Amino acid sequence: MRRSLSSDPRVAAVDARPLSERIGEAALVVAHPDDEILWFSSIFAAVKGIFVCYLDVPGQSTWTAGRRAVAAAYPMDNVVFLGLTESVAIYGADWNNPSVVDEGLDVSPRTGTLEGFDAGLYRENYHRLHALLENHLIGYSTVITHNPWGEYGHEEHVQVYRAVSSLSRTMSFDVWYSNYCSNRSYRLMLESLSGFRSNAEAFATQPAAAEPIESLYRRNDCWTWSFDDYRYFPQEYFIPDRPADAKADLGSTLPLNFIKVEDRAPPPWSVTWRRRLRRAKRRLKSWSHSE
């Protein structure tokens, strides 16, 4: 049963049931391959459909080839790779004074932006993403996605959230987002504080379910978490979105999964060296177990 909180047509109808009761009917929309387990390990195996927005990465042929291989071999049949080419917009926003625009964040070349960065493509991708998701999300009443500040601070995560949130106003589905935050993204998180509601729901993370997927990404050299070996939090919380034009002077506090990240991209040689070291360690561990 669905009910409307307001007669204002700009306010989407909401499902009165707790999120836990409708996970099996929900769609999960993530920006990049591996985001489904980095930020949504608690629910990725339970949702009805998973939509992965971006695939190819200009300037990163290894990641592109690896992601294509993962998409072909993915062990779940409810995952759709939409195939948009990344704009490589990470590190393109001023996270000390983030400026939100319709397409996500205002991005431009800065110290730390990566090879392949394309501000024009970033803006174009919003409209492409909007059109693709409008077709794929037909029939869903609940959509889970990235939060308005992009978890640890990723410009394309913010873009995906804004596209999904915009569609919710015309397609009348509920939006829930994750509770991850970092030292880079907390300023933008604070701007969204009045959007928090006290009825966030907790779900236990599922490292065991995520491990085979993580291994698939690692084997294909496209596991993108480059800061350090990733560790799963015990729980993830999901927060119900509020309409973009709904204003409030007060907000409710809630637990944050807070992580610390580097302010700018590590040097390419550092990322490559660490990945090779981790791969060598895994091989040594595998050999020792087989003896």
Side-chain angles (χ1 to χ4, degrees), residues 54 85-90 93 99 101-108 117-128 154-160 162:
Y54 309 108
T85 297
E86 276 196 41
S87 58
V88 198
I90 190 168
S99 176
V101 296
D102 287 344
E103 296 85 1
L105 294 173
D106 184 20
V107 298
S108 60
F117 169 81
D118 189 333
L121 181 59
Y122 181 74
R123 292 188 291 271
E124 292 170 12
N125 273 348
Y126 172 83
H127 301 286
R128 293 170 181 165
H154 197 305
E155 289 78 350
E156 287 179 325
H157 291 196
V158 176
Q159 182 171 77
V160 169
R162 295 208 40 99

Side-chain angles (χ1 to χ4, degrees), residues 57-70:
V57 190
Q60 295 284 348
S61 58
T62 299
W63 281 6
T64 295
R67 286 178 171 185
R68 291 182 180 185
V70 167

Side-chain angles (χ1 to χ4, degrees), residues 32-55:
H32 311 100
D34 76 12
D35 284 337
E36 75 278 15
I37 56 175
L38 283 167
W39 318 113
F40 305 94
S41 75
S42 64
I43 56 143
F44 86 101
V47 297
K48 182 177 181 180
I50 301 175
F51 301 94
V52 183
C53 298
Y54 309 108
L55 192 65

Side-chain angles (χ1 to χ4, degrees), residues 27 73 96 108 149 152 171 183 197 209 219 230 237 245 258 262:
N96 290 318
S108 60
W149 53 93
Y152 66 99
M171 299 182 71
N183 53 302
R197 298 181 184 176
R219 288 197 305 272
Y230 191 78
Y237 287 77
D245 55 358
F258 199 89
E262 298 174 21

